[in-house]
Amino acid sequence: MCRECGCSVNHQHEHKHEDTKTLEVFTKILEANDRQAQENREHFEEHGVYCINLMSSPGAGKTSLLEKTIELVGRELRIGVIEGDLETNRDAERIKSKGAPAYQITTGSACHLDASMVHKGIHHLPLEELDIVFVENVGNLVCPASYDVGAHLNVVLLSVTEGDDKPEKYPVMFRSADLMLITKTDLLPYVDFSVDRAVSSAKKIKPNMDFMMLSTKTGEGLEDWIDYLKFKVKFYRKAFK
Amino acid sequence: MHEFSVVQSLMELIEKYAEENKAKRVVKVIIRVGILSGIEPHLLELAFNTFKEGTIAEGALLVIERENLKVKCQECGAEGEKDELNTLCPFCGSLNTNIIAGQEMLLKSLELECEDET
Ligand SMILES: Nc1nc2c(ncn2[C@@H]2O[C@H](COP(=O)(O)OP(=O)(O)O)[C@@H](O)[C@H]2O)c(=O)[nH]1
Ligand SMILES: [Mg+2]
Ligand SMILES: [Zn+2]
Ligand SMILES: [Zn+2]
Ligand SMILES: [Zn+2]
Ligand SMILES: [Zn+2]
């Protein structure tokens, strides 16, 4: 091998060296993001904080769910929110008015959050006083699926008004999720949405996916959701003690 | 569309490797994109051709290799490629499978033109 340039041809070097060399690298393109995401996770773990990434189409009910969740857990679980929904400060204000600390990431026109944006948010939250940090991702079923933000649990919300074919249309997103929340179930009587179809097609791409149904309007399923959170936090703590 | 931010990360890698290898120019960039990586190849190409202007990869050719979805079945032990975007075992239909290919986006190799030697 040529020492000067590492090229694989064993040649002499009197020539003007015009040839090229191939460098095999096999590096993940989003390697830097993955590294930052891992750092975020460790950051949360140092403080015993469980991080949950909420993803969905715009308007599927992420902020409404956060508001209800903060109301219902009371003092039992202390919640903080990193808010990544677009432009306006409204979502962060909605959270703060429920008494939970929230930090709004200004994403500009970004269509997803990445690990470094979330890292910034981490330093604006009082982690030592929290049990769960929710990341409300940008409303989008495509991009957020490719970016690890350092959460321990990825949740996708699917509202019944969006249609039961979403898991088939957005397999990358549904593959990335650990839990699917079927939201706005109060509207089921008015739309053609087959829960069976949504769940079975999600399971075809993510066999061990958990799923739950809820409505923030009627309160249906919220108790199970809160129990699920408590359970997750409890076992997370056990693993890190 | 996140292909632009993916290409930004790709450019950073390319620049890092080019510098480490004292390259004058990047001639070719070969990447591997899994069908389940969430990347649209033509959008990626578009983004690459926009971003490469004025960089060391200005004249570079981007080669995108598509990688199919491949699963390994935990029930029957078989491995197989999938045509459809689901993880059912193509042989026995079991849901109990692991994905062994098709999810990643990798920078595979770079063709570099190195410093002239005199
Ligand atoms: N009927 C009904 N509407 C809901 C429910 N949850 C949220 N919404 C409405 O859906 C819209 C979008 O909700 P929001 O929480 O802002 O969605 P986000 O964009 O995912 O944060 C709002 O008008 C909510 O009032 C629900 O369970 N049932
Ligand atoms: Mg919102
Ligand atoms: Zn040489
Ligand atoms: Zn930090
Ligand atoms: Zn996008
Ligand atoms: Zn099988």
Side-chain angles (χ1 to χ4, degrees):
Chain A
M1 191 165 90
C2 163
R3 293 230 339 269
E4 257 85 8
C5 65
C7 64
S8 52
V9 199
N10 205 353
H11 54 80
Q12 306 187 328
H13 277 99
E14 297 85 68
H15 66 278
K16 197 157 170 19
H17 197 266
E18 281 296 336
D19 54 353
T20 60
K21 67 164 175 171
T22 301
L23 187 70
E24 305 281 345
V25 291
F26 282 96
T27 309
K28 284 189 178 183
I29 295 176
L30 296 182
E31 162 205 72
N33 185 75
D34 289 354
R35 227 181 301 122
Q36 180 63 57
Q38 191 49 35
E39 256 179 69
N40 292 354
R41 237 181 315 269
E42 284 161 13
H43 217 124
F44 287 123
E45 283 156 15
E46 277 163 31
H47 295 275
V49 170
Y50 190 62
C51 178
I52 302 177
N53 178 23
L54 296 183
M55 299 177 283
S56 77
S57 314
K62 298 181 296 301
T63 312
S64 307
L65 178 64
L66 287 173
E67 289 171 311
K68 279 282 180 241
T69 306
I70 294 161
E71 254 174 58
L72 290 170
V73 293
R75 312 184 83 104
E76 225 177 308
L77 290 176
R78 298 160 304 170
I79 291 176
V81 178
I82 296 174
E83 193 46 72
D85 232 353
L86 293 174
E87 301 284 315
T88 69
N89 245 358
R90 268 202 58 225
D91 283 357
E93 293 311 319
R94 280 166 67 184
I95 303 297
K96 283 185 198 157
S97 73
K98 296 287 170 188
Y103 176 73
Q104 177 81 44
I105 302 175
T106 33
T107 51
S109 60
C111 45
H112 60 267
L113 298 182
D114 64 27
S116 65
M117 295 172 179
V118 169
H119 178 239
K120 230 167 109 198
I122 291 176
H123 286 283
H124 284 88
L125 287 179
L127 287 192
E128 56 293 339
E129 296 163 20
L130 299 175
D131 300 303
I132 300 180
V133 166
F134 281 100
V135 174
E136 181 175 340
N137 218 309
V138 181
N140 176 345
L141 285 176
V142 183
C143 321
S146 298
Y147 285 85
D148 187 357
V149 295
H152 299 96
L153 188 78
N154 287 314
V155 178
V156 62
L157 285 77
L158 172 60
S159 59
V160 301
T161 50
E162 290 169 70
D164 52 22
D165 58 350
K166 285 292 177 295
E168 272 163 85
K169 283 193 176 151
Y170 299 94
V172 184
M173 170 56 73
F174 285 81
R175 175 74 195 179
S176 77
D178 305 298
L179 168 69
M180 171 168 74
L181 293 177
I182 297 179
T183 62
K184 308 193 189 180
T185 54
D186 57 290
L187 299 177
L188 271 175
Y190 312 104
V191 290
D192 284 328
F193 182 97
S194 156
V195 172
D196 279 352
R197 180 161 176 229
V199 171
S200 69
S201 56
K203 289 205 170 199
K204 277 186 195 162
I205 195 72
K206 184 68 184 263
N208 53 353
M209 166 105 81
D210 289 332
F211 85 97
M212 291 174 124
M213 294 167 53
L214 54 85
S215 161
T216 57
K217 194 165 180 192
T218 62
E220 185 202 348
L222 289 178
E223 209 174 303
D224 287 348
W225 161 244
I226 302 292
D227 286 345
Y228 182 92
L229 291 179
K230 288 179 185 165
F231 175 88
K232 283 288 182 187
V233 169
K234 188 171 155 191
F235 281 88
Y236 167 74
R237 291 256 164 85
K238 277 198 175 152
F240 282 96
K241 248 166 205 167
Chain B
M1 183 175 106
H2 61 312
E3 279 74 8
F4 276 93
S5 48
V6 170
V7 164
Q8 260 170 341
S9 305
L10 176 62
M11 283 299 176
E12 281 164 23
L13 284 180
I14 293 172
E15 268 160 10
K16 186 189 94 178
Y17 285 119
E19 192 176 324
E20 280 173 13
N21 289 275
K22 302 200 172 61
K24 274 193 313 184
R25 235 159 51 82
V26 179
V27 180
K28 199 196 267 182
V29 177
I30 303 181
I31 62 177
R32 183 189 286 169
V33 170
I35 196 140
L36 208 58
S37 68
I39 283 292
E40 233 10 281
H42 69 280
L43 293 178
L44 193 74
E45 198 173 353
L46 189 81
F48 181 81
N49 289 333
T50 311
F51 268 97
K52 72 179 183 183
E53 302 295 325
T55 74
I56 191 149
E58 169 127 37
L61 174 73
L62 178 69
V63 178
I64 303 179
E65 294 179 5
R66 291 297 266 161
E67 186 182 55
N68 279 335
L69 183 59
K70 212 170 160 190
V71 299
K72 179 167 171 58
C73 181
Q74 301 303 297
E75 300 292 333
C76 73
E79 276 181 28
E81 274 201 8
K82 299 281 306 181
D83 303 326
E84 314 148 296
L85 283 187
N86 65 49
T87 57
L88 302 187
C89 170
F91 304 99
C92 75
S94 168
L95 273 174
N96 188 7
T97 60
N98 294 328
I99 293 182
I100 53 175
Q103 281 190 296
E104 292 196 314
M105 24 174 146
L106 288 180
L107 171 58
K108 235 182 103 179
S109 64
L110 293 172
E111 206 173 300
L112 305 175
E113 199 181 293
C114 297
E115 216 75 66
D116 272 14
E117 294 132 66
T118 35

